[in-house]
Amino acid sequence: MTSPLTPIFRAVAATVAFIGELGLLLMDAAAAVGPGLLRRRGRRVGWINLWAQMVRVGVRAVPIVCLVLFCIGAILALQMAPPLREFGKVAAVADVIAVSIFREIGPLVSAIVLTGFAGASIAAELGTMVVSEEIEAMESLAIPPTRFLVLPRVLATTVMMICLAVVGDLLGSIGGLVVSATILGIDPELYVSRTFDMLKLKDFLTGLVKAGVFGCIISLLACHLGLRVSGGAQGVGVATTRTVVLTIVALIFVDLLFTAAFYFVNL
Amino acid sequence: MAKPVIQVQDVCKAFDGRSVLEGVCLEVLEGETLVILGGSGSGKSTLLRLMMGNLRPDSGQVRVLNKSLGDISAQELADYRKSIGVLFQSGALFNSMSVADNVALPLREHTDLPEDTLAIMVKIKLELVGLREHAAKMPAQLSGGMKKRAGLARAIALDPSILFYDEPSAGLDPYTSAEIDQLIIDLNRKLGVTSVVVTHEMDSAFRIAHRMVLLDRGRFVVCATPEEIRNSTDPLVRQFVYGLLDGPLTQRRRAGGYEVDLLSGGT
């Protein structure tokens, strides 16, 4: 007879194994940085790949991130104004928006948008390549898929995630500014000066560190699940859905870890 | 007498507990075209993947130029893969690249050739398969036969000494199939390429083969010249080669317990 705890142990073991596989993929990708971008042979292909992925992953996501973060900035301003007005501190809306957007919401929401935008598409693309024998063909040509496919995607997503977080931070603040100036009656100059007074460099940098890690998580999960596809078109659909769900859960969990760590080290 | 370039020695392979190959032994001689025959699920594609180094046997060994593929280092495996070419059943072209880029990829990855030399080499390879004027097309714009020819051009890009073909004629009209067969013969005769062809198209097999191997349910049945296969008295060989309705293959299917399965109900 099996113990009632057996399924829990199995789930924990499967999760640990999955995280281990992700770690191995990350190590393989890191080891491929030299051969992929710096070696003489194949370097052209490496840089062309990286540039193409940066455009695909990041540049095309900019308008959506801008729109979403602008709206979130505006929503935050509208939500925070009534309770702050009760204390006669409606101008503190700028303080709240600055800290929450730069430290938390900018990187996290940009990452969630990028998950839907790039994570799903990477998983579907690699999964389709597995199904259509392209990955096997690549291995037969002595071209390692980790170097040729995973590395450019991980690098591009990490770099572009940091850039998107900066853009998201700005647009979130602008969304708050627009609502504060037009609806809440806060002087724009006061809003801007309070934002700059409130923000410290560490708020900006901790957000960017998070963004970089989020970008790495999005692409690693998408590549790993995409390359493990089996079972044809249905397998591609399952991998895409799993990528989006697992990535969002992982992002929020890792965000909690970061926030707790920054809280305890007083960052 | 030609020396063996690939030796398959008592190889067994199973997937999820289901045996696919059982004790298969064969040799591929230098400069010959060896055709591996067998029905669907007989293990011929698995055998091909073992010889390509994409799979490892559960027991036994695959030796290439007196080295076991199971014992060689990652670098040696990469070197071996650069010396072989593979034509996949679907062509396995990289869908995000044009036909010319597909053919150029192994050259860009593994040589230092400048782009103008590379473009000339790509044209030469595409001319060999009759696709020079289609160089700029994307794989999605090609017919099934053209995809296979483009796949063949990519497979011969690095001038391999061994070429593996997985079902080169499957799904093609008789004329295109004959064209592909002629390409295989030309590459073998003019360039001395050793070829291993997996197929169950008998017309094509007799056209191109120097020797033929028949597999049945993962077991080695016979290895002989086309003439010997044609004149074989083995009922299994005769049924497979001549497509007879009566013989061991159909008897086996009839003895599959269909009536019992129907009467037992359920799924």
Side-chain angles (χ1 to χ4, degrees):
Chain A
M1 196 177 140
T2 55
S3 153
L5 293 176
T6 307
I8 297 171
F9 288 139
R10 277 200 191 129
V12 171
T15 308
V16 171
F18 185 77
I19 293 169
E21 286 169 12
L22 282 178
L24 287 175
L25 184 62
L26 179 62
M27 278 166 57
D28 281 351
V33 170
L37 299 175
L38 306 176
R39 70 177 188 153
R40 194 158 166 223
R41 283 182 180 173
R43 188 168 54 186
R44 299 169 271 198
V45 188
W47 284 105
I48 290 167
N49 262 348
L50 179 60
W51 182 247
Q53 290 303 322
M54 284 171 81
V55 171
R56 173 200 161 175
V57 168
V59 176
R60 290 184 188 164
V62 169
I64 302 170
V65 168
C66 287
L67 180 66
V68 170
L69 263 298
F70 181 88
C71 292
I72 286 180
I75 291 166
L76 272 178
L78 290 170
Q79 289 281 15
M80 295 311 300
L84 290 172
R85 190 172 283 132
E86 277 184 30
F87 296 103
K89 290 197 178 262
V90 75
V93 161
D95 307 354
V96 176
I97 290 178
V99 174
S100 57
I101 290 278
F102 274 79
R103 286 191 72 106
E104 194 63 55
I105 295 173
L108 185 63
V109 171
S110 303
I112 290 173
V113 169
L114 200 65
T115 301
F117 201 87
S121 117
I122 289 172
E125 183 194 24
L126 297 190
T128 308
M129 289 180 79
V130 172
V131 172
S132 60
E133 297 179 312
E134 287 178 49
I135 301 292
E136 195 177 358
M138 197 168 278
E139 286 171 343
S140 301
L141 291 167
I143 303 170
T146 309
R147 171 169 64 73
F148 194 79
L149 297 173
V150 177
L151 176 65
R153 280 159 181 77
V154 171
L155 283 180
T157 315
T158 306
V159 171
M160 294 315 288
M161 185 58 235
I162 295 171
C163 301
L164 282 176
V166 174
V167 174
D169 290 346
L170 283 175
L171 263 292
S173 303
I174 292 171
L177 170 66
V178 169
V179 167
S180 300
T182 55
I183 299 174
L184 305 179
I186 301 170
D187 178 30
E189 274 184 34
L190 176 66
Y191 185 97
V192 172
S193 70
R194 286 196 73 136
T195 297
F196 278 108
D197 289 344
M198 191 66 203
L199 277 180
K200 296 183 181 70
L201 185 61
K202 68 175 185 181
D203 296 324
F204 183 61
L205 292 181
T206 52
L208 293 192
V209 169
K210 275 186 189 177
V213 175
F214 290 166
C216 191
I217 288 172
I218 293 167
S219 48
L220 269 183
L221 269 166
C223 290
H224 182 60
L225 292 170
L227 287 173
R228 284 205 322 180
V229 160
S230 61
Q234 193 187 11
V236 176
V238 170
T240 310
T241 312
R242 281 195 76 198
T243 298
V244 174
V245 174
L246 282 180
T247 307
I248 291 175
V249 172
L251 287 176
I252 291 173
F253 183 70
V254 171
D255 192 21
L256 170 65
L257 292 180
F258 265 120
T259 307
F262 291 152
Y263 176 81
F264 286 113
V265 297
N266 207 17
L267 257 178
Chain B
M1 171 144 176
K3 64 176 185 199
V5 284
I6 302 175
Q7 294 163 295
V8 178
Q9 297 172 341
D10 203 19
V11 159
C12 296
K13 183 72 188 170
F15 294 105
D16 301 324
R18 192 178 63 85
S19 178
V20 178
L21 290 174
E22 288 178 37
V24 173
C25 298
L26 66 87
E27 282 185 344
V28 182
L29 304 177
E30 190 174 23
E32 77 166 343
T33 299
L34 179 79
V35 172
I36 302 172
L37 298 166
S40 300
S42 59
K44 49 193 194 308
S45 290
T46 303
L47 181 57
L48 196 74
R49 279 164 174 75
L50 285 162
M51 289 195 268
M52 283 152 50
N54 287 8
L55 288 175
R56 299 216 164 175
D58 296 335
S59 65
Q61 57 179 343
V62 178
R63 298 179 72 80
V64 178
L65 299 172
N66 290 324
K67 277 186 177 174
S68 171
L69 282 182
D71 300 332
I72 60 177
S73 66
Q75 185 53 51
E76 284 174 317
L77 182 61
D79 290 341
Y80 168 61
R81 283 173 168 163
K82 283 179 214 167
S83 74
I84 65 170
V86 184
L87 173 59
F88 287 86
Q89 196 169 348
S90 59
L93 296 172
F94 304 121
N95 283 310
S96 57
M97 298 178 195
S98 69
V99 171
D101 283 339
N102 262 279
V103 180
L105 181 65
L107 296 164
R108 286 200 176 110
E109 275 286 313
H110 299 307
T111 70
D112 297 325
L113 294 171
E115 280 296 317
D116 47 353
T117 313
L118 217 131
I120 293 168
M121 288 195 69
V122 169
K123 277 182 190 162
I124 293 170
K125 302 297 175 189
L126 285 174
E127 181 64 22
L128 266 176
V129 298
L131 282 181
R132 190 171 46 80
E133 64 274 27
H134 301 284
K137 285 186 178 168
M138 299 302 281
Q141 296 172 288
L142 303 180
S143 67
M146 287 159 90
K147 278 182 189 169
K148 289 208 177 176
R149 284 190 279 155
L152 186 53
R154 188 181 64 188
I156 58 173
L158 291 172
D159 297 324
S161 56
I162 307 171
L163 266 169
F164 294 98
Y165 303 84
D166 190 4
E167 309 267 13
S169 316
L172 299 181
D173 62 75
Y175 171 71
T176 313
S177 175
E179 269 189 340
I180 299 266
D181 290 344
Q182 195 54 50
L183 278 173
I184 296 172
I185 294 166
D186 286 348
L187 286 169
N188 176 260
R189 284 196 190 144
K190 293 176 186 167
L191 306 176
V193 177
T194 305
S195 305
V196 181
V197 185
V198 157
T199 185
H200 48 210
E201 310 272 332
M202 293 314 303
D203 289 343
S204 168
F206 281 117
R207 252 197 305 261
I208 58 179
H210 292 126
R211 286 192 307 144
M212 294 164 129
V213 169
L214 178 63
L215 291 181
D216 178 47
R217 291 194 296 183
R219 292 194 183 92
F220 178 87
V221 177
V222 68
C223 177
T225 64
E227 205 50 40
E228 287 166 338
I229 292 276
R230 261 202 196 95
N231 300 326
S232 172
T233 53
D234 185 318
L236 196 148
V237 176
R238 288 189 66 77
Q239 186 179 16
F240 190 86
V241 169
Y242 295 108
L244 304 175
L245 287 173
D246 279 325
L249 295 168
T250 36
Q251 279 164 17
R252 189 193 300 158
R253 197 172 293 163
R254 280 184 204 128
Y258 178 52
E259 296 84 353
V260 178
D261 192 22
L262 275 182
L263 293 171
S264 68
T267 54

